[in-house]
Amino acid sequence: MRTLVDACVLALVFTLYWCSRQRRQYLKKRIGPLALHNVYKVARNIGYMLSKKRLDVYGDRIRLQPGCILFSFHYGVWELMPRTLDALGYRIGVIVNRYASNKMSWITRLVDRMLYQYRSVGKVIVFYRDETLKIVRFLKTGGILGVLVDGDSLYAKHPLVMKLSRVSHAPLVPFAAYTSNGRGILHIGCDLETLVKEQPLDYVWFYKSRKAEYPQKI
């Protein structure tokens, strides 16, 4: 079953890649001759995320305190972080984007619904970026918030997340979720830049920001 899922994901990701000339140019500009290798690795990571496996937690777990903000990039198998910590008994929330709007098609609304169902496993709370008051309240009542800070650059949204940290008095803690020798790893308190340099194919280099503010109106 896993092999079939991987094959379907690979076919879909490569099809989407070839159908967008702009995306191909953007990716090649960022990672050069490793573009196709990056698309392949990202597709494999997506397949792993769809398996919904829990990750082994390493690093500085003592930093997983109530009211902290876990931040990372679109790197490795990042979507498995919330379900892993939820299964361990942590109170977890995540900030996500909406793909649909009033002017968007039913397809984007369907994508939003599917992603919401995937992300809201267990007791994980899904926040949209315009729900600032709910996010601040969640942090001040001891929730742990997951957020991705990259966009057109690795730290594009980091200043806004730092502002959220100050408003909520929430310490910032980096994390990375990735696979190594077939095992899923959640590394708390890691050096994100070093990981990207050492394993660049795990980063989604074709990711681009769709909005400048994240979260909004803090």
Side-chain angles (χ1 to χ4, degrees):
M1 182 64 179
R2 172 75 195 282
T3 302
L4 177 60
V5 170
D6 283 348
C8 291
V9 171
L10 281 168
L12 176 61
V13 172
F14 272 99
T15 299
L16 292 174
Y17 171 75
W18 284 110
C19 286
S20 175
R21 183 171 180 269
Q22 183 182 19
R23 188 71 65 179
R24 292 199 308 271
Q25 290 176 332
Y26 182 75
L27 177 57
K28 289 178 180 178
K29 179 181 178 181
R30 298 190 79 186
I31 199 169
L34 293 176
L36 285 178
H37 295 281
N38 181 230
V39 173
Y40 173 79
K41 181 63 175 177
V42 170
R44 291 300 304 271
N45 284 336
I46 292 173
Y48 193 92
M49 287 190 280
L50 291 175
S51 72
K52 302 178 182 179
K53 294 182 179 180
R54 296 181 190 174
L55 309 175
D56 295 330
V57 183
Y58 291 91
D60 194 0
R61 285 186 63 170
I62 197 171
R63 298 177 69 181
L64 287 173
Q65 299 295 324
C68 73
I69 298 175
L70 291 175
F71 71 93
S72 191
F73 306 143
H74 286 83
Y75 180 88
V77 292
W78 70 90
E79 292 279 5
L80 295 180
M81 180 277 287
R83 66 177 59 235
T84 295
L85 295 185
D86 174 74
L88 292 174
Y90 293 96
R91 184 172 167 233
I92 300 294
V94 292
I95 302 179
V96 303
N97 286 314
R98 277 192 181 94
Y99 288 87
S101 69
N102 293 332
K103 298 181 180 179
M104 292 294 183
S105 68
W106 64 270
I107 296 177
T108 54
R109 294 190 179 91
L110 177 62
V111 169
D112 273 345
R113 190 174 301 115
M114 292 173 63
L115 286 174
Y116 184 90
Q117 291 176 349
Y118 173 85
R119 289 163 170 162
S120 59
V121 63
K123 296 181 180 179
V124 176
I125 302 174
V126 177
F127 297 103
Y128 292 106
R129 65 183 175 197
D130 57 352
E131 298 178 317
T132 306
L133 291 178
K134 290 183 180 179
I135 294 168
V136 172
R137 189 179 302 116
F138 175 77
L139 285 167
K140 288 188 174 182
T141 56
I144 295 176
L145 184 71
V147 58
L148 302 181
V149 300
D150 59 320
D152 296 336
S153 64
L154 289 178
Y155 290 97
K157 300 163 185 172
H158 193 254
L160 287 165
V161 175
M162 289 180 66
K163 188 176 180 181
L164 175 63
S165 171
R166 291 193 298 270
V167 169
S168 305
H169 305 289
L172 293 173
V173 182
F175 82 90
Y178 55 91
T179 60
S180 178
N181 297 321
R183 295 171 55 245
I185 294 173
L186 174 57
H187 191 165
I188 305 298
C190 61
D191 185 329
L192 287 169
E193 288 189 50
T194 297
L195 278 175
V196 172
K197 288 178 181 178
E198 293 178 348
Q199 301 179 56
L201 297 182
D202 274 302
Y203 181 66
V204 185
W205 290 103
F206 50 82
Y207 177 76
K208 298 175 70 175
S209 295
R210 284 176 288 114
K211 297 287 186 179
E213 295 184 0
Y214 178 65
Q216 293 180 340
K217 299 178 182 178
I218 297 174

